[in-house]
């Protein structure tokens, strides 16, 4: 029988917090490892039923796609999964567009959900109270709260440790924003706890290349050699892409460009699970969105500009929300040629094509621990040469160190 410990040993834990949520604080606490990621610590042995529940909800090992139809039969666009429509968009609130990570579409949709009373509140990640660094799941009930929680936090986030407590404390209907694996987590969770299924009415995903460790944030901040903690931190935003910036009470501050912060420090600390991720593009969400980077010669160019999201509208639920937000004047709506995304998001494109090879290596080594199903991976795994696929397979085998 597979055990929760096998997830941890294989480096597949994403630190989502569902372990603590489903077995309770008496048995499990999420703690921060020396590498700077959340990990479950079990205080007593789990029953077989608790162990099995975790294996079913864990987004580290279980991502269940829904095989939605693709926007076109062209095999390049198939890489992006099931979509009803692909658009370029931004928030029509200039302050939100500027403050947000990209063009503020995620926050604008969340605010629209609240304004139009489609939901009572938004579940989203933000910095936890009295911390400059640590991220958790927050409940936003107002436009101001959504605005405050806009921007990307390139660090771990404890998303689900309190999810049952939150759902039990009211009858509210929620919109949920998260990384693609957070969406997988909430979908797995409601499958096992169907009484909550109708409580999460909309899911919005941000594109995601991986979670950097908290240690990487500290490394950037510590380059200033201050004893005190900063009282302000942002990873990007307030521009597009905007700088990494930390500020201290005495007026000191540091800045690093997106290339220097994400490219040279943050992005170097991703865990193994992110490296074999089958879905950084929000396949399971109603709407998923990423940067619609400007391009120079067809390739991304990170020169500062007004933010623009591209949006994958994946479900009828998402389509209705998107069209409603456009009609209400919350977001713009432009056409975009889906074939340009291959150059704008080369990393995500290649990762999707190669992930079946990486996953096969993990599947083999862990004796079938992972279940990444209906994600369209087999249809696209031969888009590159057999040689490059085998190289990825062998490279992943080398990286896996069962502890
Ligand atoms: C870890 C990480 C990796 C990313 N990788 C990519 C990528 O590969 N390609 C790409 O195009 N864009 C990436 N982004 C950026 C993000 O996908 C885009 O900025 C997206 O287009 C949303 O832009 P927006 O202006 O609409 O968001 P905003 O309106 O600024 O809203 C951002 C939303 O993201 C939520 N959020 C922030 N940090 C986290 C977190 N750590 N976990 C869960 N939710 C969070 C906030 O709660 C907020 O609701 C990444 C972001 C993160 C946090
Ligand atoms: S459920 Fe979440 S916290 Fe538990 S092992 Fe899986 S990813 Fe880690
Ligand atoms: S890369 Fe994949 S597994 Fe890693 S944080 Fe992003 S969505 Fe989750």
């Amino acid at each position: 029988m597979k055990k929760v410990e096998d997830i941890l040993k294989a480096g597949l834990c994403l630190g989502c917090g569902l372990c603590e949520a489903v077995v309770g604080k008496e048995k499990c606490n999420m703690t921060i490892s020396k590498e700077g990621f959340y990990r479950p610590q079990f205080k007593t042995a789990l029953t077989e039923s608790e162990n099995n529940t975790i294996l079913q909800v864990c987004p580290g090992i279980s991502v269940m796609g829904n095989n939605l139809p693709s926007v076109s039969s062209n095999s390049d666009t198939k890489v992006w999964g099931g979509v009803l429509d692909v658009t370029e968009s931004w928030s029509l609130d200039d302050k939100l567009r500027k403050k947000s990570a990209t063009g503020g579409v995620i926050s604008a949709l969340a605010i629209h959900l609240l304004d139009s009373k489609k939901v009572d509140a938004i579940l989203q990640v933000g910095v936890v109270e009295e911390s400059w660094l640590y991220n958790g799941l927050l409940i936003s009930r107002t436009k101001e709260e959504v605005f405050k929680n806009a921007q990307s936090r390139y660090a771990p986030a404890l998303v689900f440790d309190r999810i049952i407590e939150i759902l039990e404390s009211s009858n509210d209907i929620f919109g949920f924003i998260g990384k693609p694996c957070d969406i997988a987590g909430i979908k797995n969770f409601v499958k096992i706890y169907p009484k909550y299924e109708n409580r999460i009415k909309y899911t919005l995903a941000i594109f995601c290349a991986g979670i950097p460790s908290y240690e990487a944030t500290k490394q950037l901040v510590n380059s200033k050699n201050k004893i005190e903690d900063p009282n302000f931190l942002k990873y990007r935003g307030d521009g597009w892409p905007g700088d990494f910036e930390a500020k201290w009470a005495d007026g000191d501050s540091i800045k690093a460009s997106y290339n220097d912060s994400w490219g040279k420090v943050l992005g170097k600390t991703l865990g193994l699970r992110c490296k074999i991720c089958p879905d950084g593009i929000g396949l399971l969400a109603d709407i998923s969105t990423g940067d619609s980077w400007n391009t120079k010669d067809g390739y991304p160019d990170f020169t500062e500009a007004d933010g623009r999201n591209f949006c994958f509208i994946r479900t009828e639920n998402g389509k209705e929300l998107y069209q409603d937000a456009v009609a209400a004047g919350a977001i713009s709506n432009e056409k975009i040629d889906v074939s340009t995304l291959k150059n704008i998001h080369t990393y995500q494109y290649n990762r999707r094509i190669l992930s079946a090879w990486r996953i096969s290596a993990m599947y083999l080594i862990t004796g079938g621990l992972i279940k990444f199903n209906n994600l369209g991976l087999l249809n696209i795994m031969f888009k590159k040469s057999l040689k490059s696929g085998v190289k990825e397979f062998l490279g992943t085998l080398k990286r896996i160190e069962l502890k």
Side-chain angles (χ1 to χ4, degrees):
M1 191 181 69
K2 300 286 177 210
K3 292 247 162 48
V4 176
E5 287 75 15
D6 299 331
I7 304 174
L8 298 166
K9 274 190 207 154
L12 293 170
C13 175
L14 288 163
C16 77
L18 273 171
C19 278
E20 184 177 315
V22 302
V23 303
K25 285 187 198 318
E26 317 71 47
K27 286 207 166 178
C28 173
N29 277 145
M30 296 302 293
T31 54
I32 298 178
S33 69
K34 68 176 189 323
E35 291 83 16
F37 293 103
Y38 291 109
R39 294 291 177 256
Q41 281 234 319
F42 296 98
K43 299 183 213 169
T44 53
L46 299 180
T47 63
E48 195 178 327
S49 148
E50 287 167 335
N51 182 67
N52 288 343
T53 304
I54 295 178
L55 292 180
Q56 290 175 76
V57 294
C58 175
I61 59 163
S62 177
V63 181
M64 297 297 169
N66 36 22
N67 266 343
L68 292 171
S70 172
V71 73
S72 91
S73 56
N74 174 312
S75 71
D76 257 1
T77 47
K78 268 195 184 156
V79 173
W80 306 112
V83 260
L84 299 176
D85 207 357
V86 185
T87 65
E88 187 172 76
S89 180
W90 52 85
S91 164
L92 291 175
D93 173 337
D94 288 344
K95 272 198 193 148
L96 182 59
R97 184 181 186 187
K98 183 161 194 306
K99 193 226 164 163
S100 64
T102 300
V105 164
I106 284 280
S107 300
L109 289 171
I111 291 168
H112 180 69
L113 282 174
L114 292 174
D115 283 351
S116 57
K117 306 216 180 315
K118 290 183 197 301
V119 301
D120 300 302
I122 302 292
L123 297 175
Q124 66 178 153
V125 164
V127 64
V128 297
E129 218 177 320
E130 293 180 12
S131 169
W132 62 278
L133 177 65
Y134 298 121
N135 305 309
L137 191 71
L138 304 184
I139 307 172
S140 296
R141 294 183 182 280
T142 63
K143 175 180 176 170
E144 291 69 30
E145 285 169 338
V146 173
F147 187 89
K148 188 168 167 225
N149 295 322
Q151 298 184 339
S152 297
R153 298 192 64 84
Y154 287 126
L158 205 41
V159 180
F160 294 120
D161 58 327
R162 293 187 309 121
I163 191 74
I164 293 180
E165 194 186 309
I166 291 172
L167 291 167
E168 283 296 318
S169 66
S170 74
N171 289 319
D172 285 347
I173 301 295
F174 294 101
F176 178 87
I177 300 173
K179 301 176 292 293
C181 58
D182 300 331
I183 309 288
I186 198 79
K187 298 267 175 188
N188 293 344
F189 173 75
V190 297
K191 227 177 262 165
I192 303 300
Y193 294 83
K195 66 173 176 167
Y196 299 128
E197 190 163 5
N198 295 328
R199 302 282 305 284
I200 314 284
K201 207 165 163 198
Y202 295 90
T203 51
L204 305 175
I206 55 173
F207 257 45
C208 178
I211 322 171
S213 130
Y214 278 131
E215 291 304 309
T217 307
K218 289 184 192 164
Q219 188 186 328
L220 283 163
V221 168
N222 289 345
S223 60
K224 193 76 187 173
N225 287 324
K226 303 281 291 182
I227 295 164
E228 306 79 24
D229 288 335
N231 60 7
F232 170 88
L233 172 71
K234 77 172 171 76
Y235 291 82
R236 60 180 279 193
D238 201 17
W240 184 51
D243 292 327
F244 175 96
E245 192 175 9
K247 291 182 191 168
W248 283 262
D250 62 7
D252 254 355
S253 65
I254 50 161
K255 272 190 183 187
S257 70
Y258 175 70
N259 255 341
D260 286 345
S261 56
W262 170 262
K264 296 186 183 159
V265 182
L266 298 162
K268 305 278 181 208
T269 60
L270 312 182
L272 181 59
R273 171 60 176 80
C274 291
K275 291 186 178 141
I276 64 154
C277 183
D279 173 22
I281 59 173
L283 292 169
L284 278 58
D286 289 315
I287 298 177
S288 66
T289 180
D291 293 286
S292 193
W293 297 119
N294 292 312
T295 51
K296 245 186 213 160
D297 310 324
Y299 290 91
D301 163 23
F302 304 132
T303 313
E304 279 294 320
D306 292 332
R308 297 196 317 264
N309 297 73
F310 70 80
C311 304
F312 284 142
I313 299 154
R314 296 197 183 275
T315 64
E316 289 296 341
N317 198 35
K319 190 169 171 183
E320 185 219 295
L321 165 62
Y322 183 89
Q323 287 177 346
D324 211 41
V326 171
I331 54 172
S332 67
N333 182 31
E334 309 283 324
K335 290 248 167 284
I336 187 168
D337 176 2
V338 67
S339 65
T340 60
L341 294 181
K342 180 179 175 180
N343 294 336
I344 296 178
H345 283 288
T346 312
Y347 173 79
Q348 295 286 4
Y349 183 88
N350 288 336
R351 180 161 76 167
R352 280 276 294 157
I353 289 171
L354 294 170
S355 71
W357 297 95
R358 298 173 182 168
I359 290 163
S360 313
M362 181 58 84
Y363 189 86
L364 197 74
I365 291 279
T366 59
L369 182 62
I370 44 179
K371 291 181 206 73
F372 296 161
N373 295 342
N374 296 334
L375 298 166
L377 296 172
L378 298 178
N379 298 335
I380 53 178
M381 69 185 284
F382 290 104
K383 281 182 75 66
K384 283 196 189 286
S385 66
L386 180 63
K387 194 174 156 200
S388 50
V390 171
K391 196 171 148 213
E392 289 301 318
F393 177 85
L394 296 174
T396 308
L397 281 185
K398 259 197 209 158
R399 276 194 196 131
I400 304 170
E401 252 179 71
L402 293 181
K403 288 166 205 145

